[in-house]
Amino acid sequence: MSRGPRERLSRLSVPRIHNENSPQRSDIESTGAAMKIGILGAGHIGKTLARKLAAAGHDVTVANSRGPETIDAEALSTGARAVSMDEALRGVDVAILSIPLNKIPGIAALVADLPESTVVMDTSNYYPMRDERIDAIESGQVESLWVSEQLGRPVVKAWNSIGSDSFARMGGASGTPGRIALPVAADSDADRKVGMALVGDTGFDAYDAGSLAESWRQQPGAPCYCTDLNLEQLPAALAAAERDRLPKRRDLSTAAIAERVGDGTTNPSAEYGVRLVRALFM
């Protein structure tokens, strides 16, 4: 029997950075082993995940709700395969959910069929104008805990804190000066280790952001959200997050972007988006 993703990384240690004065790069820069990865969602983030993870040597399938024939050829350019929703998570080591947050309950049945050994990762964020109002989150529930509750199993929160343009264009090799760092949160140390390794495979430094209960620090409106910080800057940004201010800052940025691009769904360029949210969130 083949080893699962947790066992493949069992010998690697993951340093957690406890304060902004002692930054370290995670020593997990790559999984070092090919994994079977299924991605649900082929939007801006999902298609980049498919392209980058396949290029890193993983066996990647990707699906969306409209059918495999509608998936952008760019998502498949490095070897990922377009499949149906039912096929995407079949026999995978890692399942990545890259769909709007309000669609999570609709795929709970697919996730329920996965074995316990499968690591489930979530890239979503809550935007009321897109997702409609979710009362539990409006009342303060951490977004990733809401997702975990809908799915009935723990998740790893990753790749939610970077804009799609930066994610597609700004990744670099390990050791690249100024390499962007991304927080990874999970309740399981082993699952977080897998998530951090895959973040490294997509071209970014991974930072151990602790438990899902603390993952509000990487939600929209937080200082680390889409601000393209490096590993030396990220710990202080996470520590500086003010939970009660996140929704207002999120909505201010959404309104500013909509005014500039003409709607609330088009993603801005990294040059504009990062400049805007650094001014609003930091």
Side-chain angles (χ1 to χ4, degrees):
M1 182 179 296
S2 64
R3 294 182 299 165
R6 300 177 183 87
E7 288 74 19
R8 293 172 196 169
L9 295 175
S10 63
R11 293 185 179 181
L12 296 177
S13 62
V14 183
R16 179 173 300 173
I17 303 169
H18 293 286
N19 62 70
E20 63 272 23
N21 296 316
S22 58
Q24 304 173 27
R25 179 168 286 105
S26 164
D27 62 355
I28 297 182
E29 294 297 346
S30 171
T31 57
M35 295 185 183
K36 187 171 183 182
I37 300 173
I39 301 172
L40 294 187
H44 296 300
I45 298 296
K47 72 178 181 181
T48 299
L49 280 168
R51 178 173 57 83
K52 291 192 171 195
L53 291 172
H58 298 290
D59 179 4
V60 179
T61 53
V62 57
N64 64 14
S65 60
R66 295 179 292 126
E69 69 280 358
T70 68
I71 292 177
D72 192 328
E74 182 185 5
L76 313 177
S77 62
T78 59
R81 305 184 310 283
V83 298
S84 69
M85 293 282 281
D86 288 339
E87 295 174 287
L89 303 187
R90 194 171 295 162
V92 298
D93 297 310
V94 179
I96 301 177
L97 313 180
S98 191
I99 60 178
L101 185 137
N102 68 328
K103 303 296 184 184
I104 291 289
I107 54 91
L110 291 176
V111 175
D113 290 336
L114 296 173
E116 185 277 334
S117 60
T118 301
V119 176
V120 178
M121 302 185 66
D122 170 46
T123 76
S124 67
N125 293 296
Y126 176 54
Y127 280 93
M129 64 177 296
R130 178 196 65 193
D131 298 322
E132 304 176 347
R133 180 183 173 91
I134 298 175
D135 288 339
I137 295 177
E138 292 287 346
S139 297
Q141 186 174 20
V142 177
E143 293 173 17
S144 60
L145 291 177
W146 183 88
V147 169
S148 183
E149 187 177 278
Q150 305 312 303
L151 297 175
R153 64 183 295 155
V155 298
V156 178
K157 193 72 169 184
W159 296 297
N160 73 299
S161 63
I162 187 167
S164 60
D165 189 34
S166 291
F167 188 42
R169 298 193 298 111
M170 303 297 186
S174 175
T176 300
R179 192 186 196 207
I180 295 170
L182 304 180
V184 180
D187 289 340
S188 161
D189 289 344
D191 287 1
R192 194 184 313 113
K193 185 181 291 188
V194 173
M196 293 177 71
L198 291 176
V199 165
D201 282 346
T202 60
F204 300 89
D205 282 330
Y207 176 82
D208 184 336
S211 70
L212 292 181
E214 289 296 307
S215 66
W216 62 268
R217 296 179 183 275
Q218 63 197 72
Q219 289 179 186
C224 79
Y225 184 77
C226 295
T227 48
D228 287 4
L229 305 178
N230 62 35
L231 199 59
E232 293 186 353
Q233 299 166 323
L234 184 58
L238 287 166
E242 300 172 84
R243 191 167 181 173
D244 292 343
R245 303 180 74 173
L246 302 190
K248 185 173 184 179
R249 291 175 173 180
R250 174 201 64 207
D251 293 346
L252 282 170
S253 68
T254 301
I257 291 169
E259 189 280 330
R260 182 179 181 90
V261 303
D263 62 68
T265 58
T266 301
N267 288 343
S269 67
E271 289 76 13
Y272 171 72
V274 171
R275 188 170 70 250
L276 171 70
V277 296
R278 283 187 175 185
L280 292 175
F281 300 169
M282 296 183 73

